Amino acid sequence: MRKMYLLPVFLGALCYGQVGINSVTPKSTLDITSKTTDGSASEGLIIPRVTGNALKLAETATVYGADQDATLVFVTVEPDPANRTGQVEGMDSRGFYYFDAGSNRWVKMISSGATTAAVTQLSCATGTLEAGDPAAGVSISIPYTGGNGGFYSGMSIASVGVTGLTATLSSGTLNNGSGN
């Protein structure tokens, strides 16, 4: 008589790799189906809610790195202004943020209805940096008119022709009208 062990077969079925919540036939890695569709119960997914200051503390403890790339959180309160450095630099309002390990920053997710920043005029004053003079701590504020209240992303731009010089712009939102 031949013996057949079914336990490995059942374990293989259980470890298939797709999970369904309220679904016995998941269509992707995680498939969440609503229990009701008549409005009688709250439906949805609650993303972890944290404060910006908590994420700054997590940075100090080296919690977020390459293995946490694409982590999604909802920031309930932006970090204190003194804490807006490093991974939480540019985190200036509540909202959804994802961790981008490549830039080692939390990046705000913007809805498709968000306005991209635009201005009608920049009033640039020229300044001079001399070769051999240190440029650390140099800061410039550029006045603008015709701001549309849109959001702009932070960025760093390396100098062309001058080694070791980088311009950094923190993310933010333009004023409607004039600003810096």
Side-chain angles (χ1 to χ4, degrees), residues 2-180:
R2 186 170 166 216
K3 291 184 180 181
M4 189 169 173
Y5 295 102
L6 294 178
L7 183 59
V9 173
F10 289 126
L11 284 176
L14 291 174
C15 297
Y16 174 61
Q18 292 183 322
V19 176
I21 298 175
N22 298 326
S23 172
V24 293
T25 57
K27 305 290 188 262
S28 67
T29 305
L30 176 61
D31 183 354
I32 303 172
T33 305
S34 62
K35 279 186 167 183
T36 64
T37 57
D38 61 3
S40 62
S42 58
E43 300 285 353
L45 175 69
I46 296 179
I47 301 299
R49 295 166 282 192
V50 297
T51 66
N53 287 333
L55 291 175
K56 182 62 181 174
L57 289 172
E59 176 185 3
T60 304
T62 63
V63 171
Y64 293 95
D67 289 342
Q68 288 73 38
D69 194 27
T71 297
L72 178 65
V73 297
F74 184 84
V75 173
T76 57
V77 178
E78 68 272 10
D80 296 335
N83 285 340
R84 293 183 194 166
T85 61
Q87 292 178 347
V88 297
E89 182 180 357
M91 189 178 282
D92 57 0
S93 63
R94 62 184 271 129
F96 287 100
Y97 288 80
Y98 67 92
F99 185 71
D100 177 13
S103 65
N104 196 33
R105 295 270 191 273
W106 286 97
V107 179
K108 187 167 189 173
M109 296 178 64
I110 303 172
S111 67
S112 61
T115 304
T116 302
V119 297
T120 57
Q121 183 180 32
L122 293 175
S123 302
C124 298
T126 58
T128 305
L129 294 175
E130 297 290 334
D133 289 343
V138 173
S139 177
I140 186 168
S141 179
I142 302 173
Y144 63 86
T145 58
N148 67 347
F151 176 82
Y152 56 90
S153 298
M155 64 181 78
S156 291
I157 304 167
S159 167
V160 176
V162 179
T163 57
L165 191 60
T166 303
T168 303
L169 173 67
S170 298
S171 64
T173 304
L174 293 175
N175 293 331
N176 281 310
S178 300
N180 287 305

